[in-house]
Amino acid sequence: MIYYAVEKHLDDIEDPKARIDRLVEELNHHNYLYHVLDAPEISDKFYDGMFRILLELERDTGYIPPNSPSLRVGAPPLDKFDKAVHSIPMLSLDDIFSFDEVFLFDQRVRDILETADVVYTAEPKYDGLAVELTYENGRLIRAATRGDGTTGEDVTQNVMTIKTVPLSITGDDVPELIEIRGEIFMTKADFDALNKGREENAKSLFANPRNAAAGAVRQLDPAITAQRKLRITCYGTGIIKGLTLTSQTELVSWLKKHRFPTPYRFQSAKGIYEATDYIREMETARAGLPFNIDGVVVKVDEFALRQRLGEKTRSPRWAVAYKYQAHQAQTRIINIVPSIGRTGVITPIAILEPVLVGGVTVSRSTLHNWDEIRRLEIRTGDTVIIERAGDVIPKVVCVLRHDAASDTQLAEPEVCPECGSKAVREEGGAVLRCVGLNCPPQLHGRIIHFASRAALNIDGLGEKIAVQLFESGLVKDFTDIFRLTKEDLEKLPRFAEKSAVNLIQAIEKSKAATLSRFIFALGIRHSGEFASRLIALHYETIESLYGVKADALSLIKQMGDKTSSAIAEFFADERNIKTIETLKTLGLTITNPDYGAVEYKDEYKDEYKDKDTTDVKDAGRRLAGLTFVITGTLPVARKDVEGQIRGAGGAVSPSVSKQTTCLIAGESPGFKLDKARALGVRTVSYDEYLAIFWPFSE
Ligand code: IVH
């Protein structure tokens, strides 16, 4: 089909050579639309069809125009590159790192030129490799690397494979000779894809797009270069014969006209402040650009002025490179250690050979999680790339080389490095978490939760006091709360006798807990107030939960699998049980008014008879101690619901207060809903109420 369409497209041309010329012209045009402007007008299929017909015609006639896209496919490999001498040395630029230095540059320029106003240009400093393209009578005859500035390597065959490099230029303003200078680079996306492919094939990785691009240009087989998806941007010239260009702005227009890619957001800057504005804007845009830039190049626009400014040995006086701070650096992993955070997550941390990244010395970096270590096969001694973007904690991006001497990967710890409790895998396995109730880094959060209103409700023990208790050393361990005395507290700054007495009284009061509140107070993952209450409905004592199996817990209707596992893991840890037992010796008593209001289905009875057989007991106690408020229209008569609650030992109150257990909200709820929200009282729909409090009634 495509062949037919292409044939038809060429219908009016008979002569095979003329057909070839036409195909070359069209293919180059569409190549430009696709690769430079990113705005294709024909399908890939049609392009490929034209290309194949071109190849056939070229083969049949032996006629290959010098700008034929068939020349881009890659010539045979070379033994070595020829030397390429630059007729005008390719200079480098002075790097500067602050606006003060930009202003000094401007001052020097204006001093030499003795003018007040200078027009500059600003363009990104592409992080790639410099090349020079020589066009003789419009035809690309040589591409050379910069080398030492005077002599580079002839990489013509490789550069010809880059789709955005014009093989020929036409028009009445095409000079006899022009050397065009630019930067070859690779986009971040193409680089990532390249490294991903290499990783899958167990090949060593490239540290960054620049190395990958440079490697592709400076290797001997053009066919490999052709696969690497290189790009070019053009920003300067060497020798020009037969054309006069007077400024950078004019050069960029000429380059664009002749279909050379030019620097992204090339801009003229009237005065140095427009240049510094540009530098700021580009820095913000930098992370979101599809390619890496490492700064901005500020140049004097007019060539005549450049002439007057002249050059130093290695760099011109008419341009500077403002360099941004690097986000990435290469270093070595000295050690890998587990580290535990305040939520109990145990993260592997790489201890690094110190390296400067973005102006900060980095010597530690997170390795995220244990799967990541396995995935990247990270070991001690490895050379890695680390990245630090903004204030973000540095991270290891990829491993460049494995240290041959070290073949041990860090094994994931089985116990918490801080407290020795079990380390449990969760959330699909990637996260490792310590279940220790008494784990020092977690203590702060755990105690605040333990004392909170819905837990043991220790009035007066909030965030602020908790911090004081830790900092003074009075509370070093979870059980220390129950050991506090009035005298201890009075020693603390700003602690009056009255508040000390009040807090001690609140702590004493909290020692008489109900099982559901106590379970909730333990702060077990995925176990909120309702899960805790469900457990209390089924398990009479805290001791009956010691060593409980997740399977047994998940028999409880409404109980999620995650909650069941988390609770089982918690009670499988002997240290946690010891902590609870210590709390008991310090006065903790646990009653369970909720227990026994549910019946197990018969088939489960035998299987779990040791732990879970509970007979139907007085259903009247199911809601004992709970206060409900109802608002809005319920799907059943409100008085029936009220009767149900009261019949089960619960209370129904007309107004929401801090004491309200739960607000049941029906259709068009009233202001009670706002009040409940303001007080942090739990709100449930009628269906949720049934599911939570009557899980076994169908
Ligand atoms: S102009 C006389 N413009 O930076 C110097 N260079 O440190 C002419 N570079 O060797 C260079 N982007 O490889 C210029 N927009 C840009 C550039 C750029 C990247 C590289 C180039 C040069 C090096 C100088």
Side-chain angles (χ1 to χ4, degrees):
M1 265 313 280
I2 286 291
Y3 276 94
Y4 175 73
V6 176
E7 282 292 335
K8 212 167 157 230
H9 191 68
L10 296 168
D11 232 352
D12 51 332
I13 309 172
E14 287 293 326
D15 175 35
K17 286 191 179 172
R19 282 186 154 215
I20 289 176
D21 286 340
R22 172 75 178 274
L23 281 168
V24 166
E25 189 191 315
E26 291 218 4
L27 284 164
N28 282 340
H29 173 68
H30 289 295
N31 190 43
Y32 172 75
L33 291 177
Y34 185 93
H35 289 286
V36 182
L37 301 187
D38 207 5
E41 280 175 5
I42 57 169
S43 70
D44 291 0
K45 258 202 173 146
F46 197 80
Y47 183 93
D48 293 343
M50 286 206 282
F51 193 71
R52 251 180 284 153
I53 290 180
L54 172 71
L55 288 180
E56 278 169 24
L57 286 169
E58 285 183 347
R59 200 191 50 217
D60 294 349
T61 60
Y63 168 64
I64 304 172
N67 59 340
S68 167
S70 66
L71 294 171
R72 292 187 193 276
V73 180
L78 299 171
D79 294 335
K80 64 174 185 46
F81 293 118
D82 286 340
K83 282 203 170 121
V85 178
H86 301 293
S87 24
I88 300 179
M90 288 180 79
L91 297 181
S92 102
L93 293 168
D94 285 345
D95 288 340
I96 56 174
F97 299 91
S98 69
F99 280 8
D100 280 350
E101 290 170 286
V102 179
F103 298 137
L104 272 177
F105 160 74
D106 172 56
Q107 189 62 55
R108 234 178 6 245
V109 166
R110 288 189 290 121
D111 285 351
I112 298 174
L113 297 177
E114 295 173 330
T115 63
D117 304 305
V118 178
V119 178
Y120 295 102
T121 59
E123 57 201 67
K125 185 170 190 305
Y126 284 72
D127 195 10
L129 131 125
V131 285
E132 182 177 72
L133 312 172
T134 307
Y135 289 85
E136 223 173 55
N137 297 318
R139 194 193 315 168
L140 176 67
I141 57 152
R142 188 182 83 165
T145 61
R146 177 173 177 274
D148 61 7
T150 317
T151 312
E153 285 170 323
D154 184 328
V155 288
T156 314
Q157 295 300 338
N158 288 348
V159 171
M160 278 177 76
T161 68
I162 302 173
K163 301 252 179 16
T164 52
V165 171
L167 297 178
S168 68
I169 41 179
T170 49
D172 49 16
D173 58 351
V174 170
E176 200 179 310
L177 179 71
I178 185 164
E179 290 173 348
I180 291 163
R181 293 177 177 180
E183 199 84 355
I184 293 180
F185 64 99
M186 194 182 267
T187 63
K188 296 175 189 171
D190 287 340
F191 168 74
D192 287 344
L194 172 69
N195 254 0
K196 194 159 171 261
R198 290 180 72 88
E199 196 177 346
E200 279 161 15
N201 293 311
K203 286 191 181 157
S204 63
L205 303 186
F206 289 109
N208 49 50
R210 177 173 26 85
N211 287 8
V217 173
R218 301 192 54 255
Q219 56 80 47
L220 295 163
D221 185 357
I224 295 179
T225 317
Q227 291 163 13
R228 282 278 169 85
K229 305 225 167 111
L230 300 174
R231 293 170 201 246
I232 195 168
T233 187
C234 298
Y235 49 64
T237 60
I239 280 193
I240 311 180
K241 275 189 200 154
L243 173 74
T244 310
L245 294 169
T246 62
S247 67
Q248 183 76 3
T249 312
E250 205 179 299
L251 166 66
V252 169
S253 307
W254 184 90
L255 288 168
K256 271 195 178 153
K257 180 177 166 204
H258 290 286
R259 304 192 156 182
F260 289 91
T262 51
Y264 168 76
R265 282 186 52 192
F266 169 82
Q267 203 166 298
S268 144
K270 283 169 209 67
I272 203 65
Y273 292 109
E274 284 191 22
T276 47
D277 282 351
Y278 180 94
I279 291 172
R280 268 194 219 98
E281 283 161 25
M282 200 47 84
E283 184 158 27
T284 316
R286 181 185 181 197
L289 297 181
F291 47 85
N292 278 345
I293 65 170
D294 55 357
V296 162
V297 183
V298 178
K299 301 173 183 172
V300 170
D301 192 22
E302 267 190 63
F303 292 167
L305 298 181
R306 289 188 184 180
Q307 198 84 45
R308 282 173 55 201
L309 287 158
E311 269 126 32
K312 297 179 278 179
T313 350
R314 290 192 59 248
S315 54
R317 283 198 198 87
W318 47 261
V320 274
Y322 179 97
K323 295 281 283 272
Y324 296 129
Q325 285 183 336
H327 293 327
Q328 291 195 338
Q330 186 172 321
T331 185
R332 233 169 57 92
I333 296 183
I334 303 171
N335 199 4
I336 301 173
V337 294
S339 150
I340 172 156
R342 285 178 56 157
T343 56
V345 175
I346 305 169
T347 322
I349 301 286
I351 309 295
L352 306 166
E353 263 171 20
V355 61
L356 205 64
V357 200
V360 173
T361 304
V362 172
S363 55
R364 286 162 73 85
S365 146
T366 172
L367 294 172
H368 302 293
N369 59 52
W370 306 86
D371 284 349
E372 186 80 349
I373 292 193
R374 259 185 296 270
R375 193 181 70 77
L376 297 173
E377 289 183 38
I378 297 176
R379 302 176 193 127
T380 304
D382 284 353
T383 304
V384 291
I385 297 290
I386 59 162
E387 184 175 87
R388 190 183 149 268
D391 291 336
V392 184
I393 306 165
K395 63 174 189 183
V396 170
V397 185
C398 73
V399 181
L400 288 187
R401 274 188 306 278
H402 289 303
D403 179 10
S406 141
D407 57 359
T408 43
Q409 274 187 49
L410 177 72
E412 166 184 320
E414 284 172 15
V415 295
C416 168
E418 288 278 345
C419 75
S421 281
K422 283 209 173 69
V424 170
R425 276 190 155 247
E426 58 175 49
E427 274 145 46
V431 174
L432 196 66
R433 196 184 293 267
C434 161
V435 298
L437 184 55
N438 213 355
C439 179
Q442 299 182 62
L443 212 53
H444 183 95
R446 285 210 185 261
I447 285 181
I448 290 169
H449 174 76
F450 189 75
S452 66
R453 195 169 68 83
L456 291 202
N457 194 13
I458 306 180
D459 219 7
L461 179 50
E463 176 86 44
K464 256 201 208 136
I465 304 288
V467 170
Q468 256 190 312
L469 292 175
F470 292 122
E471 284 179 355
S472 64
L474 280 176
V475 171
K476 291 199 224 44
D477 167 302
F478 201 82
T479 57
D480 285 342
I481 305 212
F482 281 3
R483 291 196 181 91
L484 287 173
T485 63
K486 179 170 146 273
E487 290 70 33
D488 285 339
L489 295 179
E490 276 171 1
K491 280 187 227 139
L492 294 177
R494 297 183 305 280
F495 232 103
E497 193 192 334
K498 182 145 186 314
S499 46
V501 171
N502 286 348
L503 182 52
I504 295 298
Q505 274 177 359
I507 292 172
E508 283 309 311
K509 209 171 115 203
S510 77
K511 289 182 181 175
T514 62
L515 184 60
S516 70
R517 273 179 182 267
F518 184 71
I519 295 171
F520 176 64
L522 295 173
I524 304 169
R525 295 270 302 159
H526 308 298
S527 313
E529 285 170 72
F530 291 109
S532 306
R533 190 166 161 76
L534 275 180
I535 295 168
L537 286 166
H538 290 75
Y539 289 78
E540 185 168 17
T541 62
I542 188 81
E543 295 80 15
S544 64
L545 285 161
Y546 296 173
V548 67
K549 296 277 181 290
D551 285 354
L553 289 166
S554 59
L555 289 178
I556 302 173
K557 196 171 176 183
Q558 295 298 319
M559 191 73 137
D561 287 347
K562 276 189 187 165
T563 309
S564 301
S565 312
I567 290 183
E569 276 150 5
F570 182 90
F571 286 107
D573 190 71
E574 277 167 25
R575 280 161 207 264
N576 287 343
I577 291 173
K578 217 171 124 207
T579 306
I580 297 171
E581 288 296 310
T582 309
L583 291 174
K584 278 160 64 181
T585 64
L586 294 169
L588 170 74
T589 58
I590 303 173
T591 53
N592 188 359
D594 303 314
Y595 176 66
V598 261
E599 174 189 11
Y600 261 114
K601 291 192 176 142
D602 279 348
E603 70 250 41
Y604 302 140
K605 268 192 178 156
D606 286 342
E607 211 174 325
Y608 292 102
K609 63 173 174 293
D610 299 341
K611 291 207 183 306
D612 305 312
T613 46
T614 46
D615 295 317
V616 186
K617 291 204 176 155
D618 180 7
R621 292 191 311 175
R622 178 187 288 240
L623 303 182
L626 306 187
T627 307
F628 293 82
V629 176
I630 301 171
T631 183
T633 317
L634 302 182
V636 295
R638 188 186 278 216
K639 69 172 176 16
D640 290 345
V641 180
E642 288 176 356
Q644 185 184 37
I645 292 170
R646 292 203 179 97
V652 182
S653 162
S655 61
V656 176
S657 77
K658 272 188 160 191
Q659 271 64 50
T660 308
T661 312
C662 187
L663 173 73
I664 306 170
E667 292 263 307
S668 357
F671 65 91
K672 288 178 195 173
L673 182 60
D674 302 322
K675 189 159 179 206
R677 287 203 179 125
L679 291 176
V681 167
R682 162 100 41 157
T683 305
V684 294
S685 67
Y686 177 69
D687 285 347
E688 283 166 335
Y689 154 80
L690 286 182
I692 293 161
F693 296 98
W694 304 93
F696 282 86
S697 354
E698 239 108 52

